[in-house]
Structures are given as structure tokens and as C-alpha cells.
Amino acid sequence: MTPDGVLQVKGLSVQFPRRTAAHPPLMAVLDVSFVVGPGETLGLVGESGSGKTTLARAILRLVPAASGEVLWQGLNLLSMDATRLRRQRRDLQIVFQDPLASLDPRMTVADILGEPLDVHEPRLTADARQARIAAMLDQAGLSAGLRDRYPHEFSGGQCQRVGIARAMMSNPKLLICDEPVSALDVSIRGQIVNLLVDLQRDRGMAMLFISHDLALVRHVSHRVLVFYLGRLIEIAPRDSLFAAPMHPYTRALMAAAAPDRPGQILKGEPSSPLEPPGGCAFRDRCTHARELCAGSVPRLEEISAGHFVACHRWRELPD
Amino acid sequence: MLQIDSLCIEFRQERARVAAVRDVSLALAPGECVGVVGESGSGKTQTFLAAMGLLGRNALVSGSIRFEGRELLAAATSELNRVRGARLAMIFQDPMTSLTPHLTVGVQMAEVLVCHAGLSWTAAKRKALDMLQTVRIADAARRMRQYPHELSGGMRQRVMIGMSLLCEPALVIADEPTSALDATIHVQVIELLAAMRREFRMAIALISHDLGAVHALADRVVVMYAGRVVECAPATAIFAHPRHPYTAELLRCAPNLSAARLNRMPSITGQPPDPAEVLPGCAFAARCARADARCRIERPLLVQSGGAAQAACHHPL
Ligand SMILES: Nc1ncnc2c1ncn2[C@@H]1O[C@H](COP(=O)(O)OP(=O)(O)OP(=O)(O)O)[C@@H](O)[C@H]1O
Ligand SMILES: Nc1ncnc2c1ncn2[C@@H]1O[C@H](COP(=O)(O)OP(=O)(O)O)[C@@H](O)[C@H]1O
Ligand code: SF4
Ligand code: SF4
Ligand SMILES: [Mg+2]
Ligand SMILES: [Mg+2]
């Protein structure tokens, strides 16, 4: 099988050193493995601070990984030299969570969109370059009159459209979206998501879609990953996850988003990644926790076709 | 308590003037929560930045903003600084750009108390720590010693919320306070704001795209479109029976996990008008199913439209 357009993450861990050497490092991402196929959208949800952004950044080598592999079309991005990495990076683009902070304040929108073209298609004529920029502005729902404006002159929503347009300029094969629409109002959110879904279908682009909006994740994703304190705790095809979430945290998350769903209402503090509890990381807050949950970290087990969950007691949980 | 009258904000550009806020009037009573919703770019943030005296340098402002009897638009910077942070606080949409990158979380929180409440550093740090726990930062003591970039987006947002509540302000302007939070913490933050409001009789201006949060917290809702208030009504009324076609469309687009999954995300077709353009008629006409010839030439004014509701539309629903 040619691994064309396949992203494979294997045993990836990311840690951040602590200022005082006496403390162990903060484990932001711990032994995470998954695959994204060509044209597939993988949703990623989880507690705030659970390592979603860090995972995205580590895949693109924007933060160093402590261990593991990131295979893009069969090549390990983590061990690649800078020149080859740059060539691959054209295929892999990211849209950040923080719209304003991720745009260069001294560049106009036209400059921002032109930059990826200058890097990846330097032989483009000036006219063709302008045409590409104009077409992208239109597709992203930005009026042509905005092209000479600077990022700080935009509302949060407009900034995020610019971020998406910039990422799309180099025709990526994999687009990582880190909360791409949380700054947008719901009507534009719909437009942008429909745009992303269309682009994905037309260009066969794969997506890793990070969001706190579960209705949105359900809308765009083929499969969904759930994170808790740096670990993958559940992974399943979309319909299976939303119809029958298994992990107690996943259930709590859905109950919080849709009060008519069953699941415990989460009380207490989210646990700290600075001092994660031993065993199951969720056990401090889990109403189903028993002694064995403190004993060892639960491993992912397949409970139905393609649906994996990391919980010692999944067999005993109520339906 | 807060009274905004005929507020206009224009931004000078190289070639044109951009009108971001056009003749906006709204008022907040002590302890009241007003939800502000509407199109991205419709001027929600700029309206309240004007109250904080934080508009960009290319801004031209007219109208009046009175807070606790004081005119904020005419106030000298030193007076504004006293009001801001102590009586009037803002939680920003963009936590990373509003926290100071080179100060630890603990120092920037304590600094607020030292400057505005005259506390000693030791007392200020203790209070800052309590506040971090109140906003559910796990391991608060250690997080105090970290820098903003070392926190996740959600944690930064909670730090911002905690920081704004430190001096127990009379009015908190919360600009998208929950959009970076996961559903479980989201619920907790809304509860936290509700509790703070009950406890301190604090007023809240909640600018949000999250209609669920607005529904849960607001007494009244203001809907903005293209720099103007297009509808203003009690929360229960607006969710049950929106008058302005834009409001109705916005509600139709609200994501709902309890409903079946749709093939397309609902959205409003078309774009809002370019803020540099001056349109004679209704700004929503190009996207409105009820628009007629009158809508394109005559701008609708905000008028009473059934009960306590006001709408700016020639053909309200
Ligand atoms: N540069 C850094 N230095 C130290 N710690 C960091 C750094 N960046 C992130 N962390 C820590 O790593 C953990 C994961 O952070 P990350 O930003 O990946 O969370 P997230 O899942 O994206 O959260 P959110 O949903 O709130 O955006 C957090 O505990 C955070 O404090
Ligand atoms: N410094 C500035 N110069 C020019 N235009 C600006 C400036 N700041 C904001 N704007 C414009 O003002 C309008 C309203 O922005 P804002 O209040 O942030 O919208 P929102 O309703 O999404 O909060 C937008 O069209 C934005 O582009
Ligand atoms: S392993 Fe135990 S503590 Fe963890 S989620 Fe399952 S039941 Fe709860
Ligand atoms: S005034 Fe006319 S165009 Fe504007 S919202 Fe009402 S019906 Fe639609
Ligand atoms: Mg994040
Ligand atoms: Mg805003």
C-alpha cells in the first residue's frame, strides 16, 4: 500500500521541562497513536489543557516531541532534516486557535495570502498571483475591499477567515484546524465549516479538527478522538461515539453540551497535568472509580468495530 | 449605571473611513445581565472597548458613555484608569494578546490588587491564589509561577476571568468568555459568572456567540448587525419570538447536539456589507427573505415592536 496522504502518529509523547529541575517534566501528550487517512476528517475533543493543541504542534514539529514517530506518507517528520521538512510542510497546514496572535501585524491581508505562494510557487506571474489571492478571498467570504487592511483592523471572526485562507493557499493535503471557528458567530461558523467540508471533498484533503463544539465535531468528522490529561481515552467512528459514548469522561462532556443526555455532571477541579493521579487519570472525578482504577493506566480496548475505549470498567458501565 | 447614547465609532483608513459602530444606544442597570449577540464584525467588541477607553488610535468617537454618573468619553486618562480595573472590568476575547507575556500569572494578578485596591504584595498574592481556585485552575499555587504561554487556551481564559473579578467590579464586560473552553468547564464558568453576579450584585455585559450561554445568563438581549442595534428585548421574549429577521436566522443557525445531524451546517447566505460602504436602506436587505423595495431605500429605525421588544425592521416577524 502506498501511504499517499496518510498521517500516522505512533506512540507520540510531548513533555515540557519545569523551571526547577527537581520536578519531573509536565507530560502534555502521552503515548498517543492514531491514523488519518486521505480525505478523512478526524475530530479531536477533550478537556481544556488536555494536550490537543500541543499534539497538533508536535505533529508539525512546532514543539519537540519526547518520543514517538509522526509518519507523513511513510516518512518520519520528526527525524527529517530542515530542508526536506520544509518541502513536506507545504502539504501540512494549520489554522490556529488564537486568530489575531497568529497573523503578522505588519502585513496586509494580500501580503499574508501571497506569502505561501512566494515560498511554494515562486514562478507564478504577478497577474496569476493576484488572481489566486482574489479567488481565495472570495472563497473565504472576505470582500475584496479588505485586501489592503491589517490584521488589527479586523474583528476576531474576520481574522480567523484570513487564517483559514492563508492555510488553504498552498493546497495542503492535511489541514489541522485548532478551534478554527470558536471566534465566529454561529451563522458564519456554518459558512466556514461548509467551506472546509467542501474544500476537503473537492481536494481530497484530510483534516484534524480540534473543537470544543461537539455539534460541530459531529458535523464534520468521520471519526472522533477524545483526550483527557494528555492521553487518548476514546476513539470511534462518529455515529458510534455520539450514539453510544463509553468513557465516563466522554459521557460527562456530552451531558454538559446537551443536558438531555445521560452522564455525570462533572464537579470538582480538573486534575492537574503537573501532578497527574496514578492509574486512570480520570479517577479523581469518576463516579465509577474503584480500587483497580488506581492500580494501572487503562489501555485502549476495542469494544465494537473501530470503537476503542481506555477504561477498566467499561463492561460494567450502565448503557 | 452604564448608559451609552448615540455612540458612533469610525476608523480612519488610508483610503476610506470605516464606520464600525453607528448610532448605538443601550443601558445597563446595576446587577443586570445584558447579552450582546450578532454577526462577527458587527461592532460588539468596539462598543465596549470605547467604554474602556481602549479603542485603536485611528478611531474617531462621538456620542456619550456614562458610567456611575461619569462621562467616560471625556474623562482624562488618569481618571479612567481608576475606574477601569476597579469598578469596570473587561474579559477579552483574545486572552493571549491581553495577558502580559513576560510576567507570571501570579504577579500580573497581584499587581491588579496592589494598584487598584492598595493591598500589600503578600495579601494580593494570597487573594490572587484564592481567585485562581475559584475559577477552577487545578494546582493554582504552581500555576501562579507560570507564564501565560505555558498555559492552555482554556486556562488563560479562566485566568483572565479571575483577574477581572479580583476587585469585585460593578460591571464586568465579558467578551466571548467561553469560546475557548470545553463544554464541562464552560458550564462551570457560566455558573461562576452567575454566582458572582448574585453575590456582588455585579452587572454583566455578555458578548457571546454562544446563544445557550446568553439564554442561561442574560435578562435582556441586544442583537447587533453591521454596526447597529437591530433588536433589543427581554431574553425570554427574544428566544421564543424573535422580531427581526436577522435574529431569527441567527437562532436557526445555533448548533444543537440534541437534534439530528444535518447534511449542511445551517448558515445565512451572503456576506455582511463592507463597513466602508454607506447604504441608504436596511443593512440586512441583501440577505433577507422579507426585503422589498422600501427596505432598500429607507433605513428602518429601532422602534417598539410588541411588548418590551424593540426591532429595527419594516416588516418584523
Ligand atoms: N510552552 C509550554 N510550556 C510549558 N507548558 C506548556 C506549554 N504549552 C502547553 N503547556 C501545557 O501543556 C498542557 C496541554 O496544553 P495544550 O495547549 O495542548 O491544551 P489544549 O488541549 O489545547 O487546551 P485548550 O482546549 O484549553 O486549548 C497544559 O497543561 C499546558 O499548561
Ligand atoms: N483599529 C481599527 N481600524 C479599522 N477598523 C477596525 C479597527 N478595529 C476594528 N475595526 C473594524 O470594526 C468592525 C467591528 O469590529 P468588532 O467590534 O471587533 O466586531 P465584533 O462584533 O465581532 O466584536 C470590524 O469591521 C473591524 O474590522
Ligand atoms: S478506569 Fe475507572 S476511574 Fe477511569 S474512567 Fe474507567 S471507571 Fe472511571
Ligand atoms: S427592514 Fe426589510 S430587509 Fe431589513 S430586516 Fe426588515 S424586512 Fe428584512
Ligand atoms: Mg488548545
Ligand atoms: Mg468581538
Side-chain angles (χ1 to χ4, degrees), chain B residues 138-196:
Chain B
D139 235 334
R142 258 179 269 179
R143 294 293 185 189
M144 293 270 283
R145 294 194 292 273
Q146 290 195 308
Y147 293 86
H149 76 269
E150 297 175 305
L151 306 183
S152 77
M155 283 185 252
R156 286 199 286 262
Q157 194 59 286
R158 275 175 284 156
V159 167
M160 278 293 307
I161 292 173
M163 202 140 109
S164 74
L165 298 176
L166 279 174
C167 295
E168 297 168 14
L171 170 61
V172 171
I173 301 165
D175 192 358
E176 305 279 344
T178 56
S179 60
L181 306 177
D182 72 78
T184 63
I185 294 175
H186 182 132
V187 170
Q188 292 180 351
V189 166
I190 294 297
E191 276 169 8
L192 175 71
L193 286 172
M196 299 304 283

Side-chain angles (χ1 to χ4, degrees), chain B residues 254-271:
Chain B
N256 184 354
L257 198 59
S258 304
R261 180 179 174 274
L262 300 168
N263 238 335
R264 299 292 282 175
M265 284 292 277
S267 68
I268 307 179
T269 45
Q271 300 301 326

